[in-house]
Amino acid sequence: MSLTFHWFLPTNGDSRHVVGGGHGTPVTSAGGDRPPSVGYLSQIARAAEQLGFVGALTPTGAWCEDAWLTTAMVSRHTERLKFLVAFRPGFLSPTLGAQMASTYQRQTGGRLMLNVVTGGESHEQRAYGDFLDKDARYARTGEFLGIVRDLWDGKTVDLDGEHLRVEDAKLARLPDPVPDVYFGGSSPAAGQVAARHADVYLTWGEPPAQVARKIAWIRSLAAERGRTLRFGIRLHVITRDTADEAWAEARRLLDGFDPETVRSIQTGLGRSESEGQQRMLALHGGSLDNLEIHPNLWAGIGLVRGGAGTALVGSHAEVAERIAEYHRLGIDEFILSGYPHLEEAYWFGEGVLPLLRSQGLWSHPFHSAAPEQPTAQVPFAATGSS
């Protein structure tokens, strides 16, 4: 099975430094270096498409632009790249969500994937008018996805649930194809929803032993329901021709962290209700020391950014080996990013993907004419964007 790679659209802004934000924390000033305009995001999307990434994740929350609207606009500047649209089911009705997905599929030629985010921060949820607690939010997500899946199957739905109620709900036009549902979460409540409704279970970039335990957990829950899921992982990447060059770039990013900003962000993230976020924090403990927590797995990003906080750092060959290591555990999809997102897409696409292709682990999803040898050179167009 060929591995699938997705990139990331930084709708909170981009920079040659790490842009903070997420899980209730504000975007750091670096986010203004390259504002998330449709023009710039389209440049990233076109690069990802050319390099062989299948899709691009777009986040959700008060810290970034709206994912539905932004990707709909960016889709007009691409041809085949899919968009993994993150959204929170508590913010719209399930019938409307099913209809939006159906419309998106028709208008883009079937290029929608959905990343369902239940929402781990109650204070941010309340800002949007959602006052349920965390466990109730997961229960509502389960009801939401059950309704949506029935609507996509062409059924007429009547449900008087604990959190959601619809009557005589149906779609005039069904999505073709039905979009895959991506879902992540580390709590027991999240596991139940994933096992019942997800096509792909996502984990953040924890060390392989922890990832293996998560995979076994979700596989067992899904098997109890007669289901089989795919598994994906969310990571940043810093890959260069040599390991020394890659680690020098990691040190440069680390040197750009203002200590007061680190303390403030860590304090905010420490209040997070997300079990996954707490697992990310435990990897570095707020310290700038001993950040390589597994060979080539660096926890430095999580010092200033909520959510995904680890990066694969090393030579192209080392990063390819770490990817193969995760694949041996059962990971088939990789959602990657790097700062800046435009240049790092080229570093990975021209440096690592050819190595994975030579090992029989990857093939270009759109054509067979991808470059045969890694050049690891950033095109002039990429460097002129800042």
Side-chain angles (χ1 to χ4, degrees):
M1 177 179 180
S2 179
L3 297 179
T4 299
F5 291 93
H6 308 289
W7 198 239
F8 184 84
L9 292 183
T11 55
N12 58 326
D14 202 6
S15 176
R16 295 182 183 276
H17 304 282
V18 177
V19 179
H23 280 263
T25 61
V27 174
T28 52
S29 60
D33 292 349
R34 299 186 189 180
S37 66
V38 170
Y40 178 62
L41 295 175
S42 297
Q43 193 177 3
I44 297 172
R46 287 192 300 269
E49 184 175 73
Q50 180 268 323
L51 290 164
F53 293 95
V54 170
L57 171 66
T58 308
T60 185
W63 59 292
C64 57
E65 298 286 5
D66 177 75
W68 289 98
L69 294 173
T70 301
T71 58
M73 289 184 277
V74 172
S75 72
R76 311 312 298 167
H77 301 276
T78 55
E79 297 177 358
R80 293 161 296 192
L81 188 75
K82 296 182 180 181
F83 296 94
L84 182 49
V85 173
F87 78 102
R88 301 185 185 184
F91 296 170
L92 74 167
S93 81
T95 307
L96 178 59
Q99 182 185 21
M100 289 168 63
S102 182
T103 298
Y104 201 112
Q105 291 295 65
R106 284 190 298 279
Q107 299 299 337
T108 64
R111 293 195 282 149
L112 175 68
M113 305 177 291
L114 290 174
N115 180 27
V116 179
V117 180
T118 297
E121 315 307 330
S122 290
H123 68 281
E124 186 176 9
Q125 296 292 123
R126 289 193 294 268
Y128 285 90
D130 179 14
F131 289 84
L132 294 183
D133 63 24
K134 180 181 174 182
D135 285 345
R137 291 198 295 269
Y138 276 112
R140 180 181 58 198
T141 295
E143 291 183 4
F144 182 100
L145 290 173
I147 295 169
V148 167
R149 290 236 183 243
D150 281 348
L151 290 171
W152 287 343
D153 285 342
K155 299 176 182 177
T156 298
V157 181
D158 291 285
L159 176 71
D160 187 2
E162 181 181 359
H163 302 287
L164 297 175
R165 180 180 179 183
V166 295
E167 184 176 307
D168 197 30
K170 56 183 175 292
L171 295 181
R173 302 180 68 183
L174 302 181
D176 184 19
V178 171
D180 281 343
V181 172
Y182 290 67
F183 186 88
S186 300
S187 68
Q192 294 296 330
V193 174
R196 187 178 297 275
H197 297 290
D199 297 300
V200 181
Y201 176 80
L202 291 177
T203 178
W204 285 328
E206 299 177 11
Q210 296 180 28
V211 170
R213 288 192 289 271
K214 271 191 174 180
I215 290 174
W217 169 52
I218 296 296
R219 273 184 176 157
S220 176
L221 292 176
E224 293 173 2
R225 293 162 176 78
R227 302 189 70 235
T228 301
L229 277 63
R230 307 195 307 275
F231 293 90
I233 194 167
R234 172 78 179 93
L235 288 156
H236 306 275
V237 286
I238 304 173
T239 178
R240 296 293 186 270
D241 295 340
T242 68
D244 286 345
E245 290 174 296
W247 285 109
E249 177 64 11
R251 287 191 295 272
R252 185 192 69 80
L253 292 174
L254 189 63
D255 289 344
F257 294 175
D258 174 65
E260 182 55 40
T261 298
V262 172
R263 283 191 293 271
S264 175
I265 290 176
Q266 290 301 299
T267 298
L269 293 176
R271 295 191 292 265
S272 173
E273 299 171 21
S274 166
E275 187 167 328
Q277 180 62 69
Q278 295 307 317
R279 292 166 70 102
M280 283 283 103
L281 295 180
L283 297 178
H284 55 69
S287 171
L288 277 66
D289 301 320
N290 303 316
L291 290 171
E292 189 178 5
I293 56 176
H294 181 79
N296 306 110
L297 185 63
W298 185 62
I301 303 292
L303 291 169
V304 296
R305 184 192 191 277
T310 54
L312 296 179
V313 181
S315 68
H316 304 313
E318 289 172 334
V319 171
E321 175 52 36
R322 295 287 76 74
I323 286 171
E325 181 179 8
Y326 280 113
H327 175 51
R328 289 191 291 270
L329 301 178
I331 298 292
D332 293 320
E333 301 199 22
F334 294 78
I335 302 175
L336 306 175
S337 57
Y339 297 96
H341 289 73
L342 183 59
E343 287 90 324
E344 289 297 337
Y346 280 105
W347 279 113
F348 184 88
E350 295 178 341
V352 178
L353 288 182
L355 296 179
L356 295 171
R357 180 175 51 210
S358 71
Q359 297 169 26
L361 293 175
W362 177 79
S363 61
H364 198 292
F366 302 133
H367 59 78
S368 60
E372 289 299 324
Q373 297 297 327
T375 63
Q377 299 297 313
V378 179
F380 177 78
T383 60
S385 61
S386 61

